[in-house]
Amino acid sequence: MSDRKQFITVMVVAALFVSWIGWRGFEVISLNDRLMADTTVASYPYQHRVLRVEGDTAVISSLRSHSVSTQQALATVFPGMRHLADTHRDWQRAERELAQVQARAGDVVLAAAGVKRVRWELDENWYHLQSMKSRFDTAF
């Protein structure tokens, strides 16, 4: 094969790869735009977002996981609730609201073409930023 044909083949493969990467980024941006357009999801203090798309599965950020309880998550979002008893009705209301918003975020993403499943992933970066913000706020 001539050098020219090899070069063209490599460039076509590279262009296809870059296009695929760009499409995946566009897909994530498009899904996040859908989330921000939904008033229920967008008005919640924590912004659920699509982190990536793996095949037909959208990976969405979450405050909860096996290692972070709902109460820990809500105490981070609503620091003023930390002093309330575990059985206080505000905790129950906040838990219901978080569950409803997370379910709504999942429904919004599932309504998009090409997405058949969602998977929730703990937003460790958000917790890290909240911790840094808390330390910064207490320093001044």
Side-chain angles (χ1 to χ4, degrees):
M1 188 185 286
S2 71
D3 287 343
R4 181 181 171 106
K5 286 182 182 178
Q6 284 180 336
F7 176 76
I8 290 172
T9 302
V10 168
M11 294 310 290
V12 167
V13 169
L16 289 172
F17 179 72
V18 168
S19 297
W20 179 78
I21 296 276
W23 172 250
R24 298 312 267 183
F26 174 76
E27 195 172 16
V28 169
I29 291 168
S30 174
L31 291 170
N32 283 324
D33 286 347
R34 284 174 172 256
L35 289 172
M36 290 294 88
D38 185 272
T39 55
T40 301
V41 176
S43 65
Y44 194 72
Y46 171 77
Q47 299 300 300
H48 291 87
R49 67 190 190 287
V50 175
L51 302 173
R52 63 189 172 281
V53 177
E54 298 171 347
D56 62 359
T57 302
V59 180
I60 306 175
S61 66
S62 177
L63 293 172
R64 305 182 289 185
S65 75
H66 297 295
S67 62
V68 177
S69 72
T70 303
Q71 198 159 15
Q72 288 173 304
L74 290 171
T76 306
V77 176
F78 305 110
M81 291 179 55
R82 290 183 182 153
H83 70 281
L84 298 176
D86 293 350
T87 56
H88 195 279
R89 67 175 177 243
D90 285 351
W91 280 114
Q92 296 166 355
R93 188 176 332 124
E95 287 173 0
R96 269 193 314 276
E97 183 183 20
L98 175 58
Q100 289 169 346
V101 170
Q102 186 164 320
R104 178 71 186 150
D107 290 344
V108 167
V109 171
L110 284 170
V115 178
K116 294 183 180 165
R117 289 183 287 284
V118 296
R119 190 175 79 230
W120 301 95
E121 185 174 290
L122 182 65
D123 194 345
E124 293 177 11
N125 188 49
W126 183 83
Y127 279 105
H128 178 71
L129 291 172
Q130 294 306 307
S131 173
M132 288 176 55
K133 181 180 176 223
S134 172
R135 279 188 243 137
F136 179 78
D137 290 345
T138 57
F140 293 98

